[in-house]
Each structure stands twice: as structure tokens, then as C-alpha cells.
Amino acid sequence: MFKKIFFVTALLLASLLSAKPVVIASIAPVGYLAKAVGGDKIEVQSLAKGDVHSYEPKPNDMKAVAKARIFIAAGLEFEEAWIPRFKASAKNLVVVQSDAKIAKLKEEHAGHAGHDEEHGEHKAKDDKHSGHAGHAAKDKHADHKAKDDKHAGHAGHAEHDEKHEAHEEHDEEHEAHADPHVWLNPMLAITMARNISDALIDMDKANKDFYLKNFQKLMNDLLAFDESAKNELAGLKNRKFVVYHPAWGYFAEHYDLEQISIERNGKEPKIDEMASTVKMIKDENIKVIFADPNRSQKSAQVLASQTGAKVELLDPLGYNLLENLKIAVRAIKDANSPK
């Protein structure tokens, strides 16, 4: 009897010791990066699927997080509300910001992705190929400072205070609309993978060389894709593309494209906005409207019916990030090439 108990206990202990660390990614493409780096040394699960803006964890999600060693965040809005709860349910959970050291663009309502007329150009610098595949540029938003009060007396101070408060409110609004879709720029995806690699090495130093080798392969794959994408898109004369949800700003900026969004502030466009978009699509001879499979396609279909354009799907949250980026390049190239 004693031998049987000992044998069962030994099996349980061996099972626990051999269990792979659980890594939870907030979204599927970040899960892809984690799996590419972690390989068979980790178990990866992704949480939010579909419309991440309305995501709330299900009971099974909370159970998965409770068993996890690492939670990989991506700078999404829902993470701010849920990460404290995740940490409360898993006391030793390590939260990794995969978007660390990446400057954020303002999420565009329409027009050219990457331009912010009031604050100047807040652009995430391309991750260079040197060092650790390049750490992204520091956030330039910190440069928004209240100007010195040049007026004497209480009236001057009052005016300065009003301007300072208005500026702070504007900065808060600016930050609230920061575009989180950094993974759709392959150079920034490399930075995210580097951050994930560092976290895995901190957790499991014995397999440092394994993680670094996988990271190097992923980086090389993304760099090779980037060179190919630049060549494919280089000859396009019409560099505008219309999307329902402005998820492709970093992609557009990196490849010198112009993203035009149907959605306004996360909402369906108003009648006058639809009318101006219809005119723009006709004037620019836009042949394709790209809808997001995770969101309503109603407005895209209406615009298509009024302009003769067709609706195609581009998924910013597809799991296989590298393949998804290839699909986006081919789709935008085909949409903007003369027929």
C-alpha cells in the first residue's frame, strides 16, 4: 500500500515538474509572437477574440489566468480594467507590456494615418536592425508641455492656468485615443517579440539560448517579409485605402500608405460623414473597401452599394501575424493596381 501511494505521489510530482509554464496573451497576434519565441517550452493561450473593445473575460479565461506565469499585454484599453483583477487571482503573475518602448500614434478618425495636425508628427520610429532588433523610439508625447506664462499680473496667470488646463484636457483626450495596433508594423512586432523574449528568459534562464534562437528566426522572417512588402508596394501610384475601423495606421505609416477610416471615434459615421466618404471614394476611384471581420460591416456594405466598390475583409487580430501581414500587402496592392 505504501509503495502504491509513493508511486502515485511520484507520478504527480513528475507531472507538476514537467508541466509547461502557461503564458496568457491578451490577443491572438501577440499569442503568435509568444509561441514563435517560446516554442514547445511554454503553453500559450490568447484571451480576447472578436471585438476586443468590448471584451470581458469569461470564467474559463479567469481560470486560465489563475494558472499562468506570465500575462502579455499589448496596450489595449480592456487591459487597464482587467490586469489588476488578473493579478489578484494569480498572486505570482508577471505582467509583460509587449508594447513597451513603442511610441503610439493617435488613432485616426479619417485621413492620413500617422498625422496629428495639432501636436505635430508623433510617429513611432521604425525599429532599426541593429542591436536587439531595434528598440522603438521613445514616446514623443512627453514633449507636450505648457508654455511659460508671458503675461504679468493675475490676469496673465489666470489665462495661463486656463490654457494649461485646456492643454492637459487635450493631452488626456489624445492619450485616450492612442492607436494600440502596433503589431501591424513588422518592425514594431519585432520590438514586441524582443520584450516577450526578455520576459521568457527572466522566467526560465536555463533555456535562454533556445528563446534567443527562436527570436532571431522570427526577427529574420519579419525582416524578410518587410523587404518583400516594400518592393511589392513601391510602385503603387494610388496609395490610399479605405477601411471600416482604423486599425492599420502603423502599417500605413511604415509603408507610406494612406488609411482612410469609415468609423468615427469608434462609432458608425453620421449621414454627412457618409456623404463625404462616398464623394471621396468616387473622386479617388477607390475600388475596394476593407471591412473588419470582428466588427459591423453594415456601413462598408452601404458605401459599396453607393460607390460600386466591393467589400473585402482584413483582420487586424488574425493569429498568424506574419501570414496576416502578407495577406494585407497583397490585398492593398491588388486593390490599388490598374485593372
Side-chain angles (χ1 to χ4, degrees):
M1 181 67 179
F2 176 77
K3 289 183 178 179
K4 186 177 180 180
I5 294 173
F6 177 80
F7 180 72
V8 172
T9 302
L11 282 177
L12 290 172
L13 182 60
S15 176
L16 288 172
L17 291 173
S18 63
K20 298 176 183 179
V22 175
V23 175
I24 303 293
S26 64
I27 54 173
V30 173
Y32 172 84
L33 296 175
K35 189 63 179 175
V37 174
D40 61 4
K41 303 295 183 186
I42 61 174
E43 178 185 339
V44 180
Q45 297 181 40
S46 303
L47 289 186
K49 299 174 180 66
D51 185 358
V52 298
H53 296 271
S54 59
Y55 169 77
E56 288 192 8
K58 297 178 175 63
N60 285 343
D61 293 337
M62 295 301 294
K63 289 179 182 178
V65 170
K67 297 177 183 177
R69 294 279 299 277
I70 292 176
F71 178 83
I72 306 176
L76 296 162
E77 187 176 353
F78 81 84
E79 295 167 355
E80 295 180 13
W82 285 100
I83 284 176
R85 304 186 200 187
F86 292 158
K87 293 179 75 172
S89 68
K91 301 297 184 183
N92 297 319
L93 183 69
V94 175
V95 176
V96 177
Q97 287 295 149
S98 64
D99 61 324
K101 300 179 182 179
I102 294 177
K104 298 294 178 65
L105 301 175
K106 183 175 180 180
E107 189 167 58
E108 290 299 310
H109 311 313
H112 194 285
H115 287 352
D116 183 90
E117 295 177 355
E118 293 184 22
H119 285 293
E121 296 181 356
H122 301 306
K123 294 187 177 181
K125 297 294 184 182
D126 285 346
D127 206 355
K128 300 303 178 183
H129 301 176
S130 59
H132 290 321
H135 293 312
K138 295 181 180 179
D139 194 340
K140 294 183 180 179
H141 295 168
D143 292 337
H144 301 317
K145 296 179 180 180
K147 294 182 178 179
D148 292 336
D149 187 3
K150 296 181 180 180
H151 304 291
H154 295 296
H157 286 296
E159 182 181 355
H160 171 74
D161 288 342
E162 288 174 4
K163 288 182 178 179
H164 183 73
E165 289 173 6
H167 188 85
E168 287 184 333
E169 288 174 2
H170 192 85
D171 275 348
E172 288 174 3
E173 180 184 357
H174 182 90
E175 288 300 318
H177 293 290
D179 184 351
H181 303 87
V182 291
W183 59 89
L184 296 174
N185 175 336
M187 296 296 98
L188 302 183
I190 289 174
T191 297
M192 299 175 81
R194 174 77 254 179
N195 292 334
I196 292 168
S197 175
D198 289 344
L200 294 179
I201 291 169
D202 286 343
M203 176 191 71
D204 180 18
K205 291 181 174 59
N207 287 304
K208 175 181 177 179
D209 291 343
F210 176 84
Y211 298 132
L212 288 178
K213 182 179 179 180
N214 286 351
F215 166 73
Q216 186 71 39
K217 181 182 183 307
L218 175 61
M219 179 182 72
N220 290 341
D221 288 345
L222 286 166
L223 291 175
F225 157 77
D226 185 53
E227 287 301 313
S228 174
K230 286 177 179 176
N231 290 334
E232 282 199 64
L233 297 170
L236 291 182
K237 292 183 179 179
N238 185 358
R239 308 192 70 81
K240 297 179 180 179
F241 64 104
V242 175
V243 296
Y244 173 78
H245 177 63
W248 297 87
Y250 297 93
F251 179 93
E253 181 198 46
H254 183 61
Y255 293 113
D256 192 27
L257 300 168
E258 188 172 341
Q259 169 187 250
I260 299 170
S261 172
I262 299 170
E263 188 182 73
R264 304 290 194 272
N265 289 321
K267 299 177 182 179
E268 292 281 343
K270 298 175 182 177
I271 293 175
D272 60 331
E273 292 170 336
M274 285 287 281
S276 63
T277 304
V278 166
K279 183 178 185 305
M280 179 279 301
I281 290 173
K282 290 180 177 179
D283 290 346
E284 298 292 342
N285 198 27
I286 300 292
K287 299 299 184 184
V288 177
I289 298 169
F290 293 106
D292 185 334
N294 309 294
R295 290 171 166 264
S296 169
Q297 297 165 32
K298 179 181 176 181
S299 293
Q301 295 291 352
V302 170
L303 284 172
S305 68
Q306 294 179 359
T307 61
K310 63 179 180 178
V311 175
E312 294 184 5
L313 298 180
L314 279 184
D315 188 358
L317 294 170
Y319 171 74
N320 191 326
L321 177 60
L322 186 56
E323 184 58 31
N324 210 32
L325 290 172
K326 291 177 182 178
I327 290 171
V329 169
R330 289 195 296 267
I332 292 171
K333 179 183 178 182
D334 289 347
N336 288 3
S337 297
K339 297 296 187 288

